[in-house]
Amino acid sequence: MDRTAAQMVQLVSTESSRHRNRCSALPLPRHARARAAAGFPGGRRRPHAATIRLLVHPTPGHTGPLLVRLPLPLAARMASSSSSPAPAPAPAGEPLRQKRILSSKLYLDVPSSKAPVVYSPAYDISFLGLEKLHPFESAKWGRVCRYLTREGHLEKKKLVEPLEACKEDLLVVHTEAYLNSLKSSYRVASIVEVPPVSLVPNWIVHKKLLYPFRKQVGGSILSAKLALERGWSINVGGGFHHCSAEEGGGFCAYADISLCIQFAFVRLNISSVLIIDLDAHQGNGHEKDFANDGRVYILDMYNAGIYPFDFTAKQYIDQKVELVSGTKTDEYLEQLDNALEVCKSRFQPQLIVYNAGTDILDGDPLGKLEISPEGVVTRDEKVFRFAKDQNIPVLMLTSGGYMKSSARVIADSIINLLNKNLIELGNQLG
């Protein structure tokens, strides 16, 4: 190429744009999410070079454009000399999402006389006996609270009852098409994995099954507010981590984790959230919802040999700790310690959403891990201490757990947090 630049080179930004578009279409490198705070668009790693196309006058032995790989600063300067791309517009639905969040009634003003423990008797599912066809213990939420109140650790009047999430609230994350699909009893039956539900009139399905779920969604959303106000909160329910904006499954009909985080971004003026998902199953729902959101960092520690086998969602996990069936308590807690230490150095959140499933218990028919009840109590203590040591508000959701003993273990864990001064169930604000 011995011609002068003016004779032989015409810079075209098309190829550079295609390069950026291809990068945007690739799965997000989840370990790079923390870089979003440093100004990298979408939390993606800044490329070190760009490909541009030079149009040259025909020379012997060469036809068509010449693709040249240039260092990014040089490529950027050359591209800017020819055209300046317009800033990317905000997502089309974002103003409507914000309007829905700001007009929601779910963020109640909770008196200081109440503890940041959220529960409603409506959480518990009693559905013509059909709930017994699923291994999930659908009354465990109420049993947890009864243990705490009957044993004198928490006054019943100090519990916070949430409102039900309405359609406008759910549309903050869910699509209209997905919510409409729940008008089919067959569709709901497939989500909750109880086939006879498909034979029940849909209005009964909504009243007996989906209404309790919507109350728990309201509880998760309110609990995020309480966590920021009080330093911690527990929703004795929620944690529907298999549900995403467009798809439910695994007994999860609404994406309460995604919803509570989206509400927190708008109403609580925060911009960084850490999800610590320690349910035995992979949290594929929230992983898909936050696939390209650099404000959310996900630590997911789960049994890789069980449902949901969602390989697409796996690529969106920042810290993936895959366990094998039969993992025992000591190894589990050691892996958790290591993961939390790594997480501390990678991401500085303003809120932790802790999905504390008890299906890791030894004997759980679905979790297939062998963690002792004492191990679960220690696990929860480690997460709350991790949050307290860094002065980060933490919201705990109870998520999965498919044995009768789960309620007792959850209650014992809360009591242990109380005894270790990691939470306070009394009139902590006067």
Side-chain angles (χ1 to χ4, degrees):
M1 296 179 60
D2 56 354
R3 300 168 185 262
T4 66
Q7 292 175 317
M8 64 183 298
V9 179
Q10 176 187 356
L11 177 63
V12 180
S13 61
T14 304
E15 195 67 30
S16 181
S17 299
R18 287 176 180 168
H19 172 81
R20 288 194 299 271
N21 291 339
R22 285 197 298 271
C23 288
S24 299
L26 291 174
L28 177 66
R30 301 297 301 165
H31 62 279
R33 283 251 183 100
R35 297 169 62 85
F40 299 126
R44 295 185 177 277
R45 191 178 295 276
R46 188 190 296 275
H48 298 292
T51 303
I52 64 173
R53 181 170 62 179
L54 300 179
L55 297 186
V56 302
H57 294 289
T59 59
H62 176 78
T63 58
L66 176 66
L67 299 183
V68 181
R69 186 87 168 155
L70 295 177
L72 185 65
L74 177 59
R77 286 197 299 271
M78 294 177 68
S80 64
S81 68
S82 64
S83 63
S84 298
E94 195 60 32
L96 180 56
R97 169 184 284 177
Q98 292 195 15
K99 180 180 179 181
R100 285 177 170 137
I101 292 173
L102 293 172
S103 62
S104 173
K105 298 179 180 179
L106 294 178
Y107 265 30
L108 305 174
D109 288 327
V110 177
S112 61
S113 59
K114 290 183 176 288
V117 178
V118 181
Y119 167 75
S120 168
Y123 281 15
D124 298 322
I125 297 171
S126 178
F127 188 20
L128 310 174
L130 294 178
E131 70 279 1
K132 297 177 181 178
L133 299 178
H134 193 279
F136 189 85
E137 213 270 284
S138 62
K140 78 171 184 179
W141 306 291
R143 291 176 59 226
V144 171
C145 291
R146 285 194 292 274
Y147 284 132
L148 294 174
T149 55
R150 288 175 182 175
E151 295 170 13
H153 301 288
L154 176 65
E155 294 181 59
K156 190 174 181 180
K157 66 181 181 180
K158 291 184 179 293
L159 289 166
V160 178
E161 176 156 356
L163 297 176
E164 171 195 4
C166 69
K167 181 180 179 180
E168 286 298 303
D169 298 319
L170 298 172
L171 284 170
V172 166
V173 164
H174 290 295
T175 63
E176 185 95 33
Y178 174 72
L179 295 182
N180 285 338
S181 76
L182 299 181
K183 296 176 182 179
S184 162
S185 296
Y186 176 82
R187 178 72 184 114
V188 177
S190 67
I191 290 172
V192 299
E193 302 169 342
V194 181
V197 168
S198 62
L199 305 177
V200 179
N202 191 250
W203 69 269
I204 297 179
V205 172
H206 271 264
K207 180 179 180 180
K208 292 292 188 176
L209 184 58
L210 295 180
Y211 170 71
F213 286 157
R214 290 193 295 270
K215 284 285 279 190
Q216 294 188 46
V217 171
S220 294
I221 291 171
L222 177 59
S223 293
K225 174 179 180 286
L226 286 171
L228 265 291
E229 292 174 349
R230 311 286 185 90
W232 65 275
S233 67
I234 298 172
N235 181 22
V236 187
F240 304 130
H241 66 158
H242 296 308
C243 188
S244 64
E246 299 180 351
E247 184 179 13
F251 206 70
C252 301
Y254 301 112
D256 68 314
I257 293 177
S258 301
L259 282 159
C260 81
I261 292 174
Q262 292 292 354
F263 268 73
F265 283 149
V266 175
R267 296 285 288 266
L268 303 178
N269 196 30
I270 63 174
S271 58
S272 58
V273 175
L274 166 63
I275 299 174
I276 300 179
D277 195 335
L278 301 185
D279 186 276
H281 301 82
Q282 177 198 350
N284 59 322
H286 59 74
E287 287 158 8
K288 289 177 178 177
D289 284 343
F290 294 111
N292 296 297
D293 195 329
R295 299 171 297 176
V296 180
Y297 186 98
I298 299 172
L299 164 58
D300 197 350
M301 184 167 162
Y302 59 93
N303 184 346
I306 59 174
Y307 176 92
F309 302 108
D310 194 328
F311 299 103
T312 298
K314 280 186 183 183
Q315 64 191 320
Y316 303 131
I317 304 173
D318 296 282
Q319 272 184 256
K320 179 173 58 183
V321 183
E322 295 193 318
L323 306 171
V324 297
S325 295
T327 297
K328 299 187 184 301
T329 302
D330 289 345
E331 180 186 351
Y332 181 92
L333 294 176
E334 181 180 355
Q335 295 229 40
L336 176 59
D337 282 336
N338 294 336
L340 291 175
E341 194 62 33
V342 170
C343 184
K344 184 188 300 185
S345 66
R346 288 188 178 180
F347 196 72
Q348 291 75 48
Q350 295 166 291
L351 173 68
I352 295 172
V353 176
Y354 172 36
N355 202 43
T358 47
D359 48 4
I360 66 170
L361 279 167
D362 187 9
D364 190 282
L366 300 185
K368 299 187 183 300
L369 300 175
E370 298 181 9
I371 314 305
S372 67
E374 296 78 15
V376 173
V377 171
T378 301
R379 176 201 69 172
D380 295 348
E381 179 183 337
K382 286 179 181 292
V383 173
F384 270 73
R385 194 168 299 282
F386 171 85
K388 187 171 185 178
D389 287 348
Q390 299 180 85
N391 197 30
I392 304 169
V394 58
L395 153 61
M396 175 176 165
L397 307 169
T398 57
S399 200
Y402 305 92
M403 297 195 301
K404 289 281 187 182
S405 60
S406 282
R408 179 72 261 180
V409 173
I410 294 169
D412 287 344
S413 179
I414 294 173
I415 293 166
N416 178 65
L417 295 174
L418 176 64
N419 291 338
K420 297 295 176 63
N421 295 316
L422 293 169
I423 66 172
E424 185 176 345
L425 296 178
N427 191 5
Q428 63 266 46
L429 297 182

